[in-house]
Amino acid sequence: MRCVALGRKNYLFMGSERGGQSAAIAYTLIETAKLNAVNPQAWLTDVLGGIVDHKINRIDELVPRCYALKAASLTSQTIR
C-alpha cells in the first residue's frame, strides 16, 4: 500500500495530463511484471531490445506471463 500512497502524492507533479498518462502506463507495466514474479527491469530490457524484430501478430508473447514461462523453461534446460 505504501507504493500507492507515494504514487498518489507524486501524481500531483507529473507536469501535464500526458505525463500522467505515460506514468500510469509505466506503473502498470512494472506492477504487472511484479504480479507475475518477473523482474521488471529484466523484462522491460528484453522486450524493448527485441520489439523491433517482433511480429505484430505475435505481440501476446511479450507479456510478463510469457516471459516468466520462457525464463522458467530456460532455467530447467540449464539445470539438466
Side-chain angles (χ1 to χ4, degrees), residues 1-23:
M1 290 309 271
R2 186 164 191 245
C3 294
V4 173
L6 286 175
R8 187 175 352 133
K9 190 145 188 148
N10 291 335
Y11 298 146
L12 297 172
F13 304 102
M14 290 296 168
S16 67
E17 184 176 341
R18 187 169 175 124
Q21 290 171 348
S22 297

Side-chain angles (χ1 to χ4, degrees), residues 43-60:
W43 171 68
L44 282 171
T45 301
D46 185 52
V47 167
L48 294 175
I51 200 165
V52 174
D53 300 326
H54 203 80
K55 294 187 184 252
I56 190 70
N57 60 348
R58 293 179 26 215
I59 200 81
D60 58 326

